[in-house]
Amino acid sequence: RLYKIKNNLKYEYVLYQEYRDTSKQQEIEQRRQRDGLPTAGSGVTAAPALQLQLRNSMHSLSLWQNLEAVKDSGLLKTLEPKEIILQEAMFELVTSEASYYKSLELLETHFLRNPLLVNTLSQSDMHFLFSNIEDIMKASERFLMDLEHRIEESILISDVCDIVQTHAVNHFQVFISYVINQAYQEKNYRRILQENALFRENMSMLENQPKVKGLSFTSFLILPFQRITRLKLLVQNILKKVEENSEREKTAISAHQELERIVKECNEGVRKMSRTEELISIEKTLEFKSKSVPVISHSRWLLKKGEVQQMSGPKSTRTMRSRKLYHPIYLFLFNNLLLITKRSSSGEKFQVLDSCSRSMLRTEDLEDQGQMLACAFVLKLLENQEDREVSYMLKTESISDKLRWIYALTPNRRTRFLSTSTSQPDSAQVQCIQSYSSQEPDELSVEMADVLHILECTDDGWMLGERLHDGERGWFPTRVVEKIMSAEVRAQNLKECQRIQQAQEGAQGARAASRGRRPAKSPQYTPTWTDL
């Protein structure tokens, strides 16, 4: 019912997980080409990439220009190279949606409707595991049919972002409820695996069947959130390539804004649920020595927690080496509050020793005062719970721990590579070559091919960065990224990012003007490139 285009245009569908990995790897390989680095399988330095975003190789995804109908039409001889690149970007959105739908179909037929699983689960457990995935499938089916119909109208694709915008407004709300429920989905899946031996045995059997190509059940469950975020990036890619002030730019901006709204609601919904659970859990462990501070609040969330050493007594080279100088304390840092606590002898409770509003915190790095203080810093509470100014001299396990605490406690402190100049064309950037899931609240989960500004880096393997496509900040290991060496690539990344921002601000300004209001400007900065 959906695959007339497959027969007419002869492009191949792969599972979405395969498409996603291949696409991201190609983005990395393309950047490596332009950096003059050896690419996968080449063994030699590749020539710089020219026009096409996706190279035509045996590992490449389906290209618009390789379709028989396109070759036979003669379009490749008459179109400008820029238009061919734009056609490829729009075609990738269509083919990737087809791959996504194929993976959803496999989730339905191989798992959701399979008697091996259905007969081992209660009705409530079925709902916990699969949530509203059938609504997600219906939304994808409608979307794919409209996209394929557009290509059937003409092999020269007029636009796809208008279709994206329509479906984002009318049908993509189902993503939000699915993604928000995902945390419970994961917890219940782990619970069922532990409690239900027959389910565990049958799931292992299904995961090992050839049709799923070695992919796990959970890789299918997380598809909807991966797709909605990837769809936003695909529209971003189209927006970078359309003509400025054109009708296609307008539809791309509208589609991007709708997708951004949905992704934001997904993220905020997930964060709100996890943050509330975390606050309740923390409050149960706290014991207040004097003045009690209410921890649970809708406007509060945890930024960082952990043990540091408080340094007390006379400081000399001799005493610096003495363990008696150090006393462990445990910090709970929220977005608007700091609690300084001491762990109980049982290790399960924390006695609150002091507290302070986060806005009243100041830090001083002591790295320039000798090797003994390389991991030490001063934390000043301008107004603590007793309305007094107090200072704590603290020591961490490593320099990166120290910098992470300083940045979390006083986020407005200038980082090493931060520049207030917005006109600097160059910037310190890295590209993610290995996905990383955050382990701490101050860390950033990064995906393959993500490009990030670098704000800070440490000698022991950590970086603080800001992702270009969504502005999210956090720490991540240096081992999962590669420096972008080419100044041309860095400048292009920044230019494309600024174009998206300016286009969106222009659209927001037009809407605000029609309502008689002045649009709010978002702050911008450009870090300066230095040798990391």
Side-chain angles (χ1 to χ4, degrees):
R1 64 185 185 275
L2 289 171
Y3 301 139
K4 290 182 290 182
I5 294 293
K6 179 180 179 182
N7 296 326
N8 292 340
L9 305 183
K10 297 181 182 176
Y11 64 72
E12 293 298 322
Y13 291 134
V14 295
L15 289 179
Y16 186 71
Q17 295 95 319
E18 297 174 298
Y19 150 75
R20 191 166 171 269
D21 290 346
T22 302
S23 179
K24 287 178 177 292
Q25 189 60 47
Q26 285 181 338
E27 289 180 45
I28 294 169
E29 292 301 309
Q30 181 196 350
R31 190 266 309 161
R32 284 174 173 165
Q33 270 195 332
R34 298 184 67 183
D35 268 348
L37 299 174
T39 55
S42 67
V44 296
T45 302
L50 298 175
Q51 297 295 336
L52 290 177
Q53 297 298 302
L54 295 173
R55 295 187 311 282
N56 182 16
S57 72
M58 61 181 291
H59 300 295
S60 291
L61 304 170
S62 298
L63 293 175
W64 175 81
Q65 63 183 302
N66 287 346
L67 297 175
E68 291 299 327
V70 173
K71 291 178 181 179
D72 295 343
S73 69
L75 284 169
L76 297 176
K77 297 177 182 178
T78 59
L79 291 177
E80 293 288 331
K82 286 184 178 180
E83 180 61 32
I84 294 175
I85 291 173
L86 177 57
Q87 290 293 314
E88 296 288 5
M90 292 189 289
F91 186 66
E92 184 184 359
L93 191 147
V94 180
T95 56
S96 63
E97 186 65 27
S99 293
Y100 168 63
Y101 186 77
K102 181 179 180 181
S103 289
L104 287 181
E105 277 194 320
L106 193 55
L107 173 61
E108 179 188 41
T109 58
H110 192 64
F111 295 105
L112 175 60
R113 304 293 179 203
N114 198 311
L116 284 174
L117 290 190
V118 174
N119 295 337
T120 65
L121 293 173
S122 66
Q123 191 172 352
S124 59
D125 281 346
M126 282 291 292
H127 177 71
F128 281 138
L129 280 188
F130 296 100
S131 187
N132 62 327
I133 194 66
E134 290 174 311
D135 294 332
I136 296 281
M137 286 195 67
K138 290 175 184 175
S140 177
E141 182 174 345
R142 284 191 295 259
F143 183 42
L144 182 57
M145 288 181 73
D146 284 352
L147 290 172
E148 293 191 329
H149 180 65
R150 175 63 56 83
I151 299 182
E152 283 184 318
E153 290 176 345
S154 172
I155 194 62
L156 181 63
I157 307 169
S158 58
D159 198 359
V160 292
C161 291
D162 57 332
I163 298 173
V164 175
Q165 195 268 345
T166 298
H167 282 261
V169 171
N170 298 315
H171 305 300
F172 285 178
Q173 289 296 115
V174 293
F175 281 97
I176 298 171
S177 53
Y178 184 89
V179 172
I180 290 175
N181 188 55
Q182 210 162 297
Y184 292 115
Q185 191 181 49
E186 293 169 2
K187 287 180 183 177
N188 279 284
Y189 178 56
R190 290 194 297 268
R191 173 185 60 79
I192 296 167
L193 281 176
Q194 289 177 348
E195 298 175 356
N196 192 328
L198 183 57
F199 172 83
R200 186 169 63 248
E201 182 182 330
N202 289 347
M203 177 60 74
S204 177
M205 188 190 309
L206 292 176
E207 286 183 326
N208 286 315
Q209 290 188 8
K211 66 170 66 176
V212 297
K213 301 185 178 181
L215 297 167
S216 68
F217 173 59
T218 53
S219 77
F220 288 89
L221 290 182
I222 62 174
L223 285 172
F225 185 54
Q226 289 181 336
R227 181 54 185 167
I228 198 69
T229 52
R230 182 67 180 172
L231 196 56
K232 189 186 88 166
L233 295 181
L234 291 171
V235 170
Q236 265 189 13
N237 193 38
I238 293 170
L239 179 54
K240 294 171 187 175
K241 295 169 174 55
V242 293
E243 312 87 346
E244 291 189 31
N245 302 315
S246 66
E247 191 61 34
R248 288 196 290 198
E249 184 187 61
K250 290 178 184 177
T251 60
I253 291 170
S254 297
H256 185 266
Q257 288 174 335
E258 287 300 325
L259 292 172
E260 197 167 55
R261 174 187 62 79
I262 291 169
V263 171
K264 187 176 180 180
E265 286 189 39
C266 288
N267 286 328
E268 288 180 350
V270 171
R271 286 170 181 165
K272 186 177 180 180
M273 294 179 74
S274 62
R275 285 169 175 174
T276 302
E277 288 182 355
E278 193 168 40
L279 289 178
I280 293 171
S281 176
I282 290 172
E283 188 172 64
K284 290 177 179 177
T285 67
L286 299 176
E287 296 175 338
F288 290 88
K289 187 172 68 172
S290 55
K291 186 178 180 182
S292 178
V293 179
V295 172
I296 299 175
S297 167
H298 290 299
S299 59
R300 178 169 294 151
W301 60 88
L302 183 72
L303 293 179
K304 190 169 178 62
K305 64 179 180 179
E307 187 173 277
V308 295
Q309 300 294 321
Q310 181 185 359
M311 303 170 69
S312 57
K315 281 82 175 175
S316 66
T317 304
R318 184 176 180 181
T319 59
M320 286 286 181
R321 296 190 178 94
S322 171
R323 292 186 178 181
K324 294 179 180 179
L325 179 64
Y326 306 106
H327 304 282
I329 59 173
Y330 201 94
L331 306 182
F332 289 94
L333 178 65
F334 304 94
N335 62 308
N336 55 8
L337 175 70
L338 171 68
L339 296 181
I340 300 176
T341 74
K342 179 182 178 182
R343 195 190 290 266
S344 68
S345 56
S346 67
E348 297 177 356
K349 296 284 186 179
F350 297 89
Q351 184 183 36
V352 178
L353 307 175
D354 209 347
S355 64
C356 181
S357 168
R358 187 175 176 227
S359 63
M360 301 298 284
L361 300 175
R362 300 294 183 269
T363 57
E364 179 188 353
D365 196 344
L366 301 178
E367 66 176 350
D368 59 350
Q369 297 189 24
Q371 186 61 34
M372 295 300 297
L373 296 174
C375 296
F377 68 99
V378 173
L379 171 62
K380 184 177 291 186
L381 282 57
L382 300 182
E383 191 176 295
N384 73 347
Q385 62 187 16
E386 297 173 354
D387 298 326
R388 292 188 299 111
E389 181 177 316
V390 295
S391 293
Y392 293 85
M393 191 171 182
L394 305 176
K395 184 181 179 184
T396 61
E397 289 292 323
S398 65
I399 292 176
S400 61
D401 284 343
K402 178 192 69 174
L403 289 175
R404 286 170 65 167
W405 270 114
I406 289 175
Y407 181 77
L409 290 161
T410 48
N412 293 327
R413 178 180 176 274
R414 188 182 179 90
T415 52
R416 191 182 309 179
F417 302 114
L418 184 62
S419 169
T420 55
S421 168
T422 58
S423 58
Q424 177 69 33
D426 201 7
S427 60
Q429 296 172 17
V430 294
Q431 185 176 43
C432 179
I433 57 170
Q434 177 186 335
S435 296
Y436 175 76
S437 296
S438 60
Q439 307 297 311
E440 300 289 341
D442 65 334
E443 293 178 9
L444 179 67
S445 292
V446 290
E447 296 283 345
M448 281 178 60
D450 281 352
V451 176
L452 304 104
H453 282 302
I454 296 307
L455 308 178
E456 188 71 83
C457 67
T458 70
D459 294 335
D460 55 352
W462 286 88
M463 288 182 168
L464 173 66
E466 179 182 70
R467 190 162 42 220
L468 259 63
H469 75 74
D470 62 6
E472 290 284 324
R473 288 186 182 187
W475 293 87
F476 50 87
T478 306
R479 60 179 168 78
V480 303
V481 298
E482 282 182 351
K483 289 185 289 183
I484 298 178
M485 306 301 296
S486 167
E488 180 186 356
V489 173
R490 297 196 300 270
Q492 181 181 336
N493 289 339
L494 195 60
K495 182 179 178 181
E496 290 174 347
C497 182
Q498 289 172 343
R499 184 188 171 186
I500 291 170
Q501 290 177 346
Q502 289 166 0
Q504 288 188 299
E505 286 171 2
Q508 290 168 356
R511 286 199 302 271
S514 68
R515 301 189 193 107
R517 290 187 287 111
R518 182 174 293 180
K521 278 195 173 182
S522 56
Q524 294 181 357
Y525 72 86
T526 305
T528 307
W529 171 258
T530 63
D531 184 8
L532 300 181

